[in-house]
Amino acid sequence: MTVPIAMQSTPGSSGYLDMHPDRKMSFFKNPYILGLAAVAGIGGLLFGYDTGVISGALLYIKDDFEEVRNSSFLQETIVSMAIAGAIVGAAFGGWINDAYGRKKATLLADVIFILGAILMAAAPDPYVLIVGRLLVGLGVGIASVTAPVYIAEAAPSEIRGSLVSTNVLMITGGQFISYLVNLVFTEVPGTWRWMLGVSAVPAIIQFILMLFLPESPRWLFLKNRKNEAVDVISKIYDLSRLEDEIDFLTAQSEQERQRRSTIKFWHVFRSKETRLAFLVGGGLLAFQQFTGINTVMYYSPTIVQMAGFEANKLAILLSLIVAGMNAVGTVLGIYLIDNTGRKKLALYSLGGVIASLIMLSVAFYMQSSSSNAVYGWLAVIGLGLYIGFFSPGMGPVPWTVNSEIYPEEYRGICGGMAATVCWISNLIVSESFLSIADAIGIGPTFLIIAGIAVVAFLFVILYVPETQGLTFDEVELIWKERAWGKNPNTQSLLEHGSQS
């Protein structure tokens, strides 16, 4: 079966931008779209802060609660209960996004997160703390679905990767800030309560700012609220491009409304091209977690202590350096993702991750048979290299790809499903890491993760398409061709778009 559609003249496509190079957007050309991305990205900051803050807070929670100190399972549960909440939040987040819009979904996530942060800070025992972690996770789960889609739907296609990656920068920035906060509160009474309670602040800030921001223009078009949508995109595009964008989105939204009226959840798996897209999107997010990033970010002070640096404050300080490298690497990724391409960047990243994990494994194995402090420092260096390779590639690439590979009528559903896969994978890793390390040793554990990274490398080579510079419609053609066979006209179009 062939695909007769040709879209080289649609706004934002490679053909359109070749014809009108003066209409091409640059990353810093429009402060308005940067502002939208930054405010929406606070959801990523909440995600990052929660990921990072618990790693330091756990050291002091163990000091306050003897039952936590004596149970690896309880420690893992305190860490991973937020992820369990995020699974539920992500699962319903896609539906909330489609039914009520990206803006209301963000506001709801903020309210839930604020309540969870207050409950954690006031927790009289570890079990109330676990409930607070669950609430925080619900908010983070909804935000993890919403922020990338909101940014992607407002962004011009030529800078979409960079703008969606700002959300990942906010995640890594949130992790860095959390370690900084951990360090500041190490000598303050009620240490961990302050660490966890402060997490309400960015949620309050986002809630207030989001009240003044618009809904996603694509969602407004889909809901037949054209005047509001035009008002939004008129602030994004110059007059020379604006009329083309309005005409294109008007025609596209009418088609999407007709298709969406018959869309059900299980249709994701009935449609061959959408099923292929979900395999790639969900697979990338699963491998993002199983290659160990949140293991490192949740437990980095604990890992540093395992390397021989036992003082709480020193462990947090060294982890702060690792988190700083994570943020710097993500800034590099924002530049590379729209210049190098998603697929190539992911492969370079995974290659470095594999080498770093092997280095970590060897360092811990040698340390177990020697008291030489050199091996402890080698482990810390391996941890830093791991972050340095992971953060520019496997940090932003999975979220960026997921924000752009699904047809509009499936974007909320598939985005929620893929984020749920991410959080389930995260839960499995965070709930099992310490137990596996206790059972077989920290060195062999990192070697297992290195093996998973090798599988991830092969997955990217075989299944992940290059979506750099393509419009949403051009990306749809990729899945149609993979599902039903190649059409020479569309194949040449896609090759031209990915090289632009």
Side-chain angles (χ1 to χ4, degrees):
M1 179 176 176
T2 59
V3 186
I5 306 167
M7 305 211 176
Q8 56 264 47
S9 62
T10 57
S13 67
S14 53
Y16 178 90
L17 294 173
D18 285 343
M19 291 168 59
H20 306 285
D22 57 308
R23 299 181 186 180
K24 188 173 184 179
M25 298 281 286
S26 62
F27 187 75
F28 293 106
K29 187 175 181 179
N30 190 324
Y32 181 75
I33 189 65
L34 284 178
L36 288 182
V39 175
I42 295 176
L45 187 136
L46 295 173
F47 176 3
Y49 188 91
D50 176 70
T51 302
V53 76
I54 194 61
S55 62
L58 188 61
L59 303 179
Y60 296 93
I61 292 168
K62 289 190 290 186
D63 289 343
D64 277 7
F65 300 121
E66 184 179 354
E67 60 264 54
V68 176
R69 185 165 61 250
N70 295 332
S71 171
S72 291
F73 175 76
L74 202 51
Q75 292 172 40
E76 289 170 334
T77 301
I78 289 171
V79 169
S80 59
M81 191 52 62
I83 306 162
I87 292 170
V88 178
F92 286 98
W95 173 78
I96 293 168
N97 268 265
D98 284 345
Y100 299 103
R102 300 16 171 164
K103 179 174 178 175
K104 288 181 180 177
T106 302
L107 294 172
L108 175 64
D110 289 332
V111 170
I112 294 172
F113 198 96
I114 292 165
L115 293 174
I118 293 170
L119 191 60
M120 288 190 300
D125 57 57
Y127 306 101
V128 173
L129 175 59
I130 287 169
V131 174
R133 292 282 294 163
L134 181 67
L135 277 176
V136 164
L138 282 170
V140 168
I142 296 171
S144 71
V145 176
T146 308
V149 171
Y150 181 83
I151 296 169
E153 290 186 339
S157 63
E158 60 269 33
I159 56 170
R160 188 175 57 233
S162 299
L163 285 171
V164 174
S165 295
T166 60
N167 183 57
V168 183
L169 175 61
M170 297 293 270
I171 294 173
T172 57
Q175 289 168 337
F176 180 76
I177 291 170
S178 73
Y179 284 115
L180 210 54
V181 169
N182 281 348
L183 198 61
V184 167
F185 286 116
T186 51
E187 305 297 334
V188 176
T191 306
W192 62 268
R193 297 182 186 278
W194 284 103
M195 292 174 178
L196 299 178
V198 164
S199 65
V201 174
I204 294 169
I205 292 171
Q206 185 183 43
F207 184 90
I208 293 170
L209 293 177
M210 203 71 200
L211 291 173
F212 299 98
L213 290 183
E215 182 52 78
S216 154
R218 279 181 172 265
W219 187 86
L220 289 170
F221 266 109
L222 196 64
K223 297 297 181 181
N224 211 21
R225 292 159 61 178
K226 183 177 177 179
N227 290 340
E228 294 173 67
V230 169
D231 185 54
V232 177
I233 62 175
S234 65
K235 297 174 183 176
I236 298 172
Y237 297 102
D238 293 336
L239 285 174
S240 58
R241 183 168 163 181
L242 179 61
E243 187 175 348
D244 290 339
E245 292 284 348
I246 292 171
D247 291 343
F248 173 60
L249 286 174
T250 301
Q252 188 185 53
S253 61
E254 181 57 38
Q255 296 173 2
E256 287 164 356
R257 270 195 300 274
Q258 292 172 3
R259 288 186 289 178
R260 184 173 285 211
S261 64
T262 60
I263 291 297
K264 303 292 185 235
F265 175 82
W266 54 87
H267 290 172
V268 171
F269 301 100
R270 287 184 182 177
S271 165
K272 188 175 180 181
E273 52 263 46
T274 308
R275 189 166 68 242
L276 289 171
F278 177 67
L279 169 69
V280 168
L284 274 174
L285 284 170
F287 279 121
Q288 184 190 61
Q289 299 305 312
F290 283 115
T291 49
I293 181 58
N294 280 321
T295 294
V296 169
M297 298 315 297
Y298 284 132
Y299 295 115
S300 59
T302 303
I303 294 168
V304 167
Q305 287 185 332
M306 290 176 178
F309 304 95
E310 294 182 1
N312 285 357
K313 191 170 183 178
L314 179 59
I316 291 174
L317 180 61
L318 290 173
S319 298
L320 175 65
I321 296 170
V322 170
M325 290 182 65
N326 196 16
V328 170
T330 305
V331 173
L332 178 62
I334 289 174
Y335 168 76
L336 292 175
I337 199 161
D338 278 327
N339 290 277
T340 303
R342 284 73 156 135
K343 184 168 185 172
K344 189 183 294 184
L345 187 56
L347 291 173
Y348 283 136
S349 176
L350 284 166
V353 162
I354 292 165
S356 304
L357 287 167
I358 292 171
M359 180 179 174
L360 267 168
S361 178
V362 170
F364 277 109
Y365 176 78
M366 297 300 293
Q367 187 200 39
S368 66
S369 57
S370 170
S371 58
N372 195 327
V374 171
Y375 297 120
W377 283 109
L378 188 64
V380 172
I381 292 168
L383 206 59
L385 286 174
Y386 168 87
I387 289 294
F389 282 112
F390 188 99
S391 55
M394 282 302 287
V397 167
W399 291 108
T400 301
V401 170
N402 268 276
S403 73
E404 59 193 9
I405 60 173
Y406 304 119
E408 171 62 30
E409 69 270 25
Y410 288 105
R411 196 165 297 143
I413 293 172
C414 288
M417 288 168 57
T420 303
V421 169
C422 173
W423 289 112
I424 290 173
S425 304
N426 192 335
L427 177 63
I428 292 169
V429 171
S430 61
E431 186 68 33
S432 62
F433 175 74
L434 290 181
S435 297
I436 293 173
D438 287 345
I440 66 173
I442 186 73
T445 302
F446 279 121
L447 197 59
I448 290 171
I449 298 173
I452 295 171
V454 171
V455 178
F457 188 90
L458 296 174
F459 176 84
V460 172
I461 289 176
L462 294 173
Y463 296 107
V464 178
E466 182 53 72
T467 56
Q468 177 193 7
L470 302 180
T471 64
F472 287 125
D473 304 279
E474 289 172 332
V475 174
E476 280 195 53
L477 294 179
I478 293 176
W479 305 117
K480 290 180 185 296
E481 291 187 345
R482 288 194 176 189
W484 308 112
K486 293 182 179 179
N487 177 288
N489 295 329
T490 54
Q491 181 63 17
S492 63
L493 167 63
L494 293 173
E495 287 173 356
H496 180 70
S498 64
Q499 291 165 6
S500 297

